[in-house]
Amino acid sequence: MFDAASSPGQNRRPLPPAQPPADGVPSPCTQTGTQQSEQRPTRADRPGKQRDAFFDNAKYLAIVLVAMGHSWEPLKGDSRFLEALYTVVYSFHMPAFIIISGFFSRSFDMRPDRLKRLITGVAVPYVVFETAYPLFKRFVDHSPGQEISLLDPWYLTWFLCALFVWRLTTPIWKLIRRPLPVALGIAMLASVAPSIGDDLDLQRVLQFLPYFVLGLCMKPEHFQLVRRRWVRFAAVPVFAAALAVGWWAVPRMNTAWFYHRDSAQELGGPWWSGPVMVVAMFGCSLLLTACFFAWVPRRKMWFTALGAGTLYGYLLHGFLVKFADYRGWFDQAALHRPLGEILVTVLAAAVVTLLCTGPVRRVFRFAMEPEMNWAFKQDAAELARERRQKEPEREKVSA
């Protein structure tokens, strides 16, 4: 049925000479079947997904800046320098955190296991802390009239609400052709729409949206660009100039622009100032965020492991800041002097560092990362993945 030219094995090219195996790669010709089964890696031996020290370092440093900024709020009115420093920090610390959040949301889709993590890791902590903060104020500040409302994010919980909305819309941003200009346009429109109101803090959700979408659009090589030596050197005069501008702007600019929680009309400006400020602040924030990333260490540091617990530090440090505020500790005259401001800054950094550690995370994991298997149906695909992961273990035991 086949002619000689097409007969298998007749016209086959000779195989190339055998090459020695690469370092660390066993040669299949030198192992028996028993040896192969014995050396097959088990689930415990397989390397997990390696964390990038740069991103963990960036998240930790950003959350330290967040805590320091919150500790400066009651003190900054008496110091123009502290007010300027506060303005500069607020122009990039949350944008940096949101960009990283967007970057690590690139793989999000509507797969059941990812939706489950979104609910247990974002929605449930939002409900828990949105309830806990008002209760805390009721008892510590003696404010029995403090309401509990899941529709009006209180203090720090706006970020969880925003992250939930942003991540749910990730498939849309991955689908459209020009996601960043569209997100920027939405933020500009939100800045001139006071009718949006305070429900779910939608002003912040929409005005911070471009930073999240930018993170979705970024690739690892983009972060490499800002980690070059010349960028680190250039970041010094950039931050110095930003501090000088912040000093100049203290009596001339409303700091609330950096919170992105109000429209232009609510801040007392003409309607057209909203879109102008959104674009201007987006550019300034990206410049300072790039300089911040340039200074973030690339290697493992003593605080690198704390980057995995930044959400704990973010949500828990607010109780301590509010406790000090309710008790009037910030009213001490000594804290309104340079040495007092330095002391408060150091304490804020130390406290949020402690809150990111492993023991604290184990204590509060029930609220921050609950399993909640009882609340979800078992996904067939996830069960199949678990069975595949257990197969090498069973093979090793049988061998």
Side-chain angles (χ1 to χ4, degrees):
M1 296 176 62
F2 299 98
D3 57 18
S6 62
S7 178
Q10 294 286 335
N11 216 13
R12 191 176 294 167
R13 294 181 180 178
L15 294 172
Q19 299 292 331
D23 293 339
V25 179
S27 170
C29 300
T30 58
Q31 293 181 345
T32 64
T34 303
Q35 288 173 323
Q36 287 180 1
S37 63
E38 289 177 353
Q39 296 189 14
R40 184 176 296 168
T42 66
R43 184 180 181 183
D45 296 332
R46 286 196 207 101
K49 190 175 182 180
Q50 295 295 325
R51 297 184 67 95
D52 191 321
F54 168 78
F55 291 109
D56 279 337
N57 293 338
K59 289 194 295 182
Y60 166 77
L61 294 175
I63 215 64
V64 168
L65 291 174
V66 169
M68 292 193 303
H70 288 152
S71 71
W72 293 340
E73 285 181 7
L75 307 175
K76 62 186 178 65
D78 297 328
S79 171
R80 185 170 179 175
F81 175 78
L82 190 62
E83 179 88 28
L85 187 60
Y86 176 89
T87 301
V88 172
V89 168
Y90 259 74
S91 66
F92 75 88
H93 71 337
M94 283 310 295
F97 206 77
I98 294 169
I99 288 173
I100 294 175
S101 299
F103 180 75
F104 283 101
S105 298
R106 294 172 302 158
S107 62
F108 180 83
D109 52 27
M110 295 301 176
R111 211 171 70 183
D113 59 328
R114 287 174 179 156
L115 287 174
K116 177 183 174 182
R117 283 198 298 270
L118 180 63
I119 293 171
T120 58
V122 179
V124 171
Y126 172 76
V127 173
V128 171
F129 284 88
E130 181 63 13
T131 304
Y133 270 114
L135 289 176
F136 183 76
K137 181 176 176 62
R138 280 187 186 183
F139 292 105
V140 178
D141 196 34
H142 307 293
S143 303
Q146 178 64 48
E147 296 182 355
I148 300 174
S149 172
L150 298 181
L151 296 179
D152 187 11
W154 202 80
Y155 196 34
L156 303 174
T157 56
W158 72 268
F159 178 71
L160 292 176
C161 179
L163 185 60
F164 186 83
V165 174
W166 293 334
R167 196 162 283 174
L168 273 183
T169 61
T170 295
I172 298 175
W173 301 113
K174 292 161 65 176
L175 178 65
I176 62 179
R177 190 181 296 274
R178 297 287 184 266
L180 186 56
V182 172
L184 197 56
I186 291 175
M188 294 166 67
L189 291 174
S191 69
V192 297
S195 60
I196 289 177
D198 297 328
D199 289 348
L200 298 180
D201 224 342
L202 281 179
Q203 277 288 355
R204 271 178 166 165
V205 173
L206 298 178
Q207 291 194 36
F208 274 117
L209 175 63
Y211 301 99
F212 182 81
V213 174
L214 176 62
L216 287 176
C217 298
M218 293 184 71
K219 298 179 180 178
E221 51 265 30
H222 294 141
F223 290 95
Q224 298 291 339
L225 296 176
V226 299
R227 290 158 67 177
R228 297 177 179 178
R229 185 183 298 272
W230 70 268
V231 180
R232 290 200 295 271
F233 288 132
V236 177
V238 170
F239 269 118
L243 193 57
V245 172
W247 172 278
W248 172 86
V250 165
R252 299 175 175 85
M253 182 179 175
N254 188 347
T255 310
W257 281 106
F258 294 99
Y259 302 152
H260 295 284
R261 68 184 177 199
D262 300 299
S263 65
Q265 296 92 324
E266 291 171 314
L267 294 175
W271 70 268
W272 54 263
S273 63
V276 171
M277 288 298 292
V278 166
V279 174
M281 293 179 66
F282 184 72
C284 293
S285 296
L286 289 190
L287 177 61
L288 293 179
T289 300
C291 294
F292 167 71
F293 284 149
W295 283 359
V296 172
R298 290 173 286 181
R299 64 184 185 279
K300 255 191 169 180
M301 308 291 289
W302 64 267
F303 53 80
T304 301
L306 302 178
T310 49
L311 193 59
Y312 288 78
Y314 175 78
L315 289 173
L316 294 174
H317 86 275
F319 290 103
L320 300 178
V321 173
K322 286 298 182 183
F323 183 85
D325 189 22
Y326 296 153
R327 293 302 185 187
W329 293 356
F330 289 112
D331 297 333
Q332 302 295 322
L335 298 182
H336 292 259
R337 300 188 182 99
L339 286 179
E341 293 164 356
I342 293 173
L343 175 63
V344 170
T345 303
V346 172
L347 284 176
V351 165
V352 78
T353 298
L354 179 64
L355 295 177
C356 292
T357 58
V360 175
R361 291 164 56 191
R362 284 192 290 272
V363 170
F364 289 97
R365 184 165 288 137
F366 74 96
M368 306 286 288
E369 300 176 88
E371 290 289 339
M372 295 184 62
N373 291 326
W374 54 268
F376 300 98
K377 296 179 180 179
Q378 287 192 320
D379 179 41
E382 188 175 355
L383 290 174
R385 282 193 295 270
E386 290 179 359
R387 283 197 296 269
R388 285 197 297 269
Q389 290 173 349
K390 291 178 181 178
E391 282 176 1
E393 296 180 1
R394 289 196 295 266
E395 290 179 3
K396 185 175 181 179
V397 171
S398 62

